[in-house]
Amino acid sequence: MKTNPGRFFEDYRLGETIVHAVPRTISGGERALYHALYPARHAIASSDEFARACGLAGSPVDELLAFHVVFGKTVPDISLNAVANLGYAEGRWLEPVQAGDTLRSESVVIGLKENSNGKSGVVYVRSRGINQRGAVVIEFVRWVMVKKRDFAMAAPEAVVPQLAKAVAAEALVVPAGLDFTGYDFALAGEPHRWGDYAVGEVIDHVDGVTIEDAEHMLATRAWQNTSKVHFDVRQREDGRRLIYGGHVISLARALSFNGLANAQMIVALNGGAHANPCFAGDTVRAWSEVLGKAPTGAPGVGALRLRLVAVKDGAEPFRLRDDGGKYLPEVLLDLDYWALMPV
Amino acid sequence: MKTNPGRFFEDYRLGETIVHAVPRTISGGERALYHALYPARHAIASSDEFARACGLAGSPVDELLAFHVVFGKTVPDISLNAVANLGYAEGRWLEPVQAGDTLRSESVVIGLKENSNGKSGVVYVRSRGINQRGAVVIEFVRWVMVKKRDFAMAAPEAVVPQLAKAVAAEALVVPAGLDFTGYDFALAGEPHRWGDYAVGEVIDHVDGVTIEDAEHMLATRAWQNTSKVHFDVRQREDGRRLIYGGHVISLARALSFNGLANAQMIVALNGGAHANPCFAGDTVRAWSEVLGKAPTGAPGVGALRLRLVAVKDGAEPFRLRDDGGKYLPEVLLDLDYWALMPV
Amino acid sequence: MKTNPGRFFEDYRLGETIVHAVPRTISGGERALYHALYPARHAIASSDEFARACGLAGSPVDELLAFHVVFGKTVPDISLNAVANLGYAEGRWLEPVQAGDTLRSESVVIGLKENSNGKSGVVYVRSRGINQRGAVVIEFVRWVMVKKRDFAMAAPEAVVPQLAKAVAAEALVVPAGLDFTGYDFALAGEPHRWGDYAVGEVIDHVDGVTIEDAEHMLATRAWQNTSKVHFDVRQREDGRRLIYGGHVISLARALSFNGLANAQMIVALNGGAHANPCFAGDTVRAWSEVLGKAPTGAPGVGALRLRLVAVKDGAEPFRLRDDGGKYLPEVLLDLDYWALMPV
């Protein structure tokens, strides 16, 4: 058979490197699509002039656009037979991606643990996005539950990697040249700076966006993510197309402009859960909580650690879990990341 | 509160300049999106070769694309709490916008008039789109009805600006270098030239486009217009998403190619009314009436003043108003503009 | 009347050349849109680096994107009053199209044959896409059934062109510089090379895509195809918008990546039938059959002749026709083309 059936749990070997297919050159086209798909307004990813005034060569594409492209390439090898996307850790953006860059992806298998039912297992991979100069621009760990092809197959020795609960502030990589000392708050859209945010502070981002099937399919295809459940109504018994979790991340991040307009660049992904599935017709809203603050060595640049929560209709304000500790059914996303902000 | 609640009527001061946030760099991506969103075929905005043969440096983006980007930036400061978009006047395109240009917007408050009910008022602003070289590329006046936050607040002195009924032909700015003496009518799509149009002539543009929610939301986001009613089904009691009026303008202008293929560049917006709301599922058709003609100083270039009307299903042919002078319910748009055409 | 009513059968003259309107400059925007609209993953059209490693100047746009742009321009002159798109033949891609290229189209009328009912006739045209350097980048023959305006009009002498059943292998034009000797199969996505495919082999492409109205309208507008039935719910009695046949071609070709990832560039269109109409809500799947193989003079490059079939829900596996030889109702597309593959 010449088609790709995807890998099953027993196909992964600890330590192996998987080269993912189909490198992709990013252009102004992908930038424009990102702005059409999400209500993204952070100024550095919108304006060459603004980005240059902050010390960059030009406006990079949104950090999440780069993430989606790198992630999409991993799908045929990592998650085509995945039952669930279980988590993210140790994600870092190491270099801004510009129009003209070509990205490819590689993953190293860093953990394997069969489930007690013997029918599936958890695969941990560290994925990297690499540009045309060979520089790693993004890296992150994710783990997925993958079906076994042959239930009788013996389990490999269980190896669960030790993963940081969050990327340490000292490990954050500020883009070369970034300088917020001349930052233009009026053009950026809000006056609030790093010093104005307190750990524990919660921000309701107010706006909502109702999602259509055409939109999330355009997005998911644009990132060359081939997971069947997003495109084919025959994949789920309820005939609904599951929305790619990254689409919800981008929507929520874009909504967070309203209250976090100056949280300009995402530099780390500490963790994240797609708490419940999202479907067309859902109206997505978002709120953020400040989890931490750290200085950086770059001029005028502070780092803010944020929890970003996306919910759909009927959500209780600012509540994530039920009394048993389970995510409430209206919670879609619980993301933990670091962004850079003028001090 | 860190989120933007939008301005209320009492927050505006006569004469103040509002710097709008989030500059935007335009690329070939926005150009391509424009062609995917609207059936736009005017040759100058489609082909570098055609534009160069007309004396331009290259194909500019559609004038309405530039308008939407400039307009979108004003929304968070001008119309987030607007009850109605009341009108446009004195709009002029002063320089073509090319891929690579970065646009930002500013508005000056030129009029304020509280309504007699004391609950809202009309705000008049002159908005300008400015490129990375500091050149004003577009300017226009619009006025909106904005809610008061505090009904007890005293009204400011009423100032209603004197606005021209139409931009005078002498005030039209023809793009530098524009020369229609070698104009290729075959490549442009129609043989009809400036001399072939008579004042009072009415042109039925024949074609119709049925609109989907995904399309107008992609468009409105692409222009970074943040008005909630376009995106969030909880904003209106009927659960429908109101289509951005500019989306209807672009649809109607694109439909007008059929009969006005040589009305190549919009140079002025004399006035306009969004007569009735438009929603997904509506099929939009358009007709035009020639309101005026004027020569220009540029070689081979004439100016045509046009009324562009968009209607939806059930509209009576070429009829705008009922016997009482009110727009018929099927009329969506009544726009008055100047375009340039080969003589 | 200034609007284009389209040509009727009696308006065509054997041998006449029709210059189609509205040249179009392609940019990275159209490339990105193509990837958002179709699950396209062939590496040469995705990555500048990959394309350069294969001897090209950079990543060309997908061959079908170029086809759609050239085809779209012919619609107002050839198929606005067409009752049916009857066939394609002798299609060849003669030069890759890059971002920055400007395309225009011309057609020569090569055949005319009135139907026996005297109400319509078949028009055969050879259409060419020409770039800004005057080079023909695509040529193909298509024939359409067109209504007569005046049934009383005398029929022209019937001329039916002799068309090749398939483009001969020797007539295939391999892009200048193409060299697959250093081809990277890992980055391309599959290990299967030219020698691994046998004539008669059938490949099920496994994946399915459910189509939305917003998607096919965005696509069809992007190619400036103005055929009314794709956009206007009043055009058909059933109120459905007919999906542009080329949209189904692109979907099927993109789905064929899974099993034919190395069938990198389409170089010829031997024939094709839009067997049944496609509508929003249909889920499209595809399979291919290897019809032929041929060497080429280019280093490491072989040619594969493929039948590409698109079907919708309910289709019988690998069955095209009923016992009477008629296409089964679930068959959407039956296409015959040549692609290039590393040997």
Side-chain angles (χ1 to χ4, degrees), chain C residues 74-189:
Chain C
T74 71
V75 168
D77 299 311
I78 306 300
S79 46
L80 213 59
N81 298 310
V83 187
N85 240 320
L86 297 173
Y88 305 102
E90 301 187 359
R92 294 195 303 167
W93 280 256
L94 303 171
E95 201 178 295
V97 175
Q98 307 279 350
D101 284 352
T102 299
L103 301 184
R104 59 189 181 83
S105 303
E106 289 181 6
S107 297
V108 179
V109 179
I110 60 168
L112 289 170
K113 184 174 185 301
E114 187 170 296
N115 289 324
S116 51
N117 63 14
K119 296 181 180 169
S120 57
V122 178
V123 180
Y124 297 78
V125 292
R126 189 180 304 274
S127 299
R128 290 190 175 88
I130 302 161
N131 70 13
Q132 72 279 10
R133 292 179 297 275
V136 177
V137 297
I138 299 179
E139 60 176 19
F140 58 93
V141 171
R142 72 165 169 143
W143 54 106
V144 292
M145 193 184 301
V146 180
K147 284 180 257 189
K148 285 176 74 175
R149 187 191 291 105
D150 176 6
F151 296 169
M153 197 78 169
E157 193 192 355
V159 174
V160 174
Q162 288 294 322
L163 298 170
K165 283 227 159 180
V167 175
E170 311 79 57
L172 300 177
V173 176
V174 178
L178 194 72
D179 180 342
F180 281 163
T181 52
Y183 191 88
D184 187 328
F185 288 86
L187 283 183

Side-chain angles (χ1 to χ4, degrees), chain B residues 31 34-35 39-47 50-51 59-64 183 187-190 205 250 252-266 306 337 339-341, chain C residues 21-24 224:
Chain B
R31 282 178 54 97
Y34 197 87
H35 282 95
R41 301 182 71 223
H42 287 94
I44 285 182
S46 181
S47 163
F50 193 96
S59 176
V61 297
D62 193 286
E63 296 78 44
L64 291 174
Y183 191 89
L187 284 183
E190 289 181 354
H205 300 303
S250 279
R253 162 72 177 161
L255 289 169
S256 80
F257 177 91
N258 205 344
L260 283 167
N262 297 319
Q264 283 287 353
M265 302 186 88
I266 300 180
L306 294 156
Y337 73 101
L340 302 179
M341 192 177 261
Chain C
V22 191
R24 170 72 167 273
Q224 294 177 309

Side-chain angles (χ1 to χ4, degrees), chain A residues 232-270:
Chain A
D232 179 353
V233 297
R234 305 289 165 247
Q235 290 292 315
R236 288 173 55 97
E237 287 193 7
D238 63 7
R240 296 196 291 180
R241 281 160 275 179
L242 180 71
I243 293 177
Y244 162 50
H247 192 68
V248 178
I249 296 177
S250 279
L251 262 183
R253 162 70 176 163
L255 289 170
S256 80
F257 178 91
N258 205 344
L260 284 166
N262 296 319
Q264 284 286 354
M265 302 186 88
I266 300 181
V267 284
L269 176 62
N270 299 311

